[in-house]
Amino acid sequence: MRLDFDFDVNAMYVGLGDPGVEVARTVEIDDNTAVDVAADGTVVGIEVISAAHPWALADTLAKFPIPAAEEAQLRAYFPVWAEALASHFPREDRPMQTPPALSVGVLAAVA
């Protein structure tokens, strides 16, 4: 998992899987969340328009097949947004382990 921030507009992009996979389509989940999907249906990344506001992590996890290890990282790094999901699954089905190291980059501001 990779996180990229654009501090000028407070946007965030969560890259999942192989960074070389091409985005085939983007699915808008809500006004603050969009999911980039590859041609084979795998999630390439999640775009959060305003990282300071709640975003649809629970809806994204419910609607898209995200590998268990990356889902665990998302839940660990963004627990506030994962709380809604937690009530739907027994504790033993919620892998809340310490996530591995994460690469963080900064997106260049687009003028």
Side-chain angles (χ1 to χ4, degrees), residues 59-75:
D59 290 343
T60 301
L61 294 175
K63 292 179 182 180
F64 294 94
I66 295 176
E70 291 181 324
E71 181 175 337
Q73 285 182 324
L74 287 167
R75 289 184 187 182

Side-chain angles (χ1 to χ4, degrees), residues 12-32:
M12 175 176 70
Y13 189 80
V14 181
L16 302 172
D18 181 5
V21 174
E22 187 174 323
V23 174
R25 64 188 171 99
T26 300
V27 179
E28 187 175 305
I29 303 299
D30 65 11
D31 290 344
N32 197 36

Side-chain angles (χ1 to χ4, degrees), residues 95-107:
M96 297 294 285
Q97 56 191 346
T98 303
L102 176 68
S103 65
V104 177
V106 178
L107 296 175

Side-chain angles (χ1 to χ4, degrees), residues 35-47:
V35 177
D36 289 336
V37 182
D40 66 359
T42 59
V43 175
V44 175
I46 303 166
E47 180 181 3

